[in-house]
Amino acid sequence: RASAPRPGEQARGRMTASVDGGYVLLESSSPDVTRAIGEEFGRVLRPGDIVVLEGDLGAGKTTFTQGLARGMGIGDAVTSPTFVLARELGREEGLIPLTHVDAYRLTSLGEWDDLDVDIENSVVVIEWGERIEDVLPVDRVHVRLTETGDARAVRIWAPDDSQRRLFDAIRAAVT
């Protein structure tokens, strides 16, 4: 990890962290810091990992995903997949694919199945994923972004111990 800059060092603004056994709570003071947190997060992801992003409109879910993609080495521009529902990035570059899904516009759980997301061979990031969590594997990590005045709170947790490897790696990367 010595070669990877800490999120607060590589971005304008500041990041503070507190760790509890079950979750990590970070504070991001700017979009650059939110991207930097996502970048550190992205460095530890591997195929089969599912990240559920939660937060109100404008909370920073796509900004976080931009950093996450950068941490995975993906140079593609990351934009919200609101109207296309799902966008795959990185495969053409020979990298682990990132499937970026926006579940906000899904009107049924069947529409999730229709997307035919390759969960086993890609990293899957799902904005508004709490809307479809009943059909998602339980081995996933959640990231909730919340506005807190001039900053964003970024809370990271796993619903059970099935993703302890990923949660522990993320905790080590961002704190």
Side-chain angles (χ1 to χ4, degrees):
R1 273 211 13 93
S3 64
R6 308 230 7 119
E9 294 171 351
Q10 69 181 32
R12 290 189 327 255
R14 65 179 171 72
M15 188 264 318
T16 58
S18 63
V19 179
D20 181 297
Y23 67 91
V24 174
L25 182 61
L26 305 164
E27 182 180 285
S28 167
S29 63
S30 72
D32 286 340
V33 174
T34 300
R35 277 186 205 92
I37 293 168
E39 184 172 356
E40 292 300 317
F41 197 103
R43 293 180 199 274
V44 300
L45 296 174
R46 56 188 195 207
D49 288 339
I50 299 171
V51 180
V52 174
L53 297 179
E54 303 176 13
D56 294 335
L57 286 170
K61 296 180 294 294
T62 300
T63 300
F64 181 88
T65 305
Q66 290 167 345
L68 186 146
R70 188 170 56 207
M72 292 176 63
I74 295 172
D76 296 339
V78 176
T79 58
S80 178
T82 299
F83 297 104
V84 295
L85 301 181
R87 182 174 288 125
E88 186 180 79
L89 305 166
R91 185 178 302 273
E92 293 174 3
E93 298 171 14
L95 300 169
I96 296 169
L98 168 63
T99 304
H100 185 196
V101 178
D102 188 327
Y104 186 79
R105 296 173 57 91
L106 296 180
T107 58
S108 72
L109 298 179
E111 286 183 359
W112 164 254
D113 290 333
D114 292 343
L115 291 176
D116 197 29
V117 174
D118 184 4
I119 292 175
E120 291 85 33
N121 298 305
S122 65
V123 169
V124 180
V125 174
I126 308 168
E127 295 189 25
W128 303 98
E130 69 274 17
R131 297 171 62 100
I132 61 167
E133 68 182 316
D134 290 344
V135 298
L136 295 176
V138 76
D139 56 338
R140 62 187 184 262
V141 171
H142 288 250
V143 177
R144 176 142 187 84
L145 295 108
T146 309
E147 288 188 65
T148 58
D150 292 338
R152 298 270 189 281
V154 181
R155 185 173 190 260
I156 303 167
W157 77 96
D160 68 10
D161 279 344
S162 63
Q163 276 291 38
R164 183 51 80 189
R165 175 221 40 104
L166 177 57
F167 178 74
D168 288 346
I170 290 165
R171 182 175 58 201
V174 299
T175 58

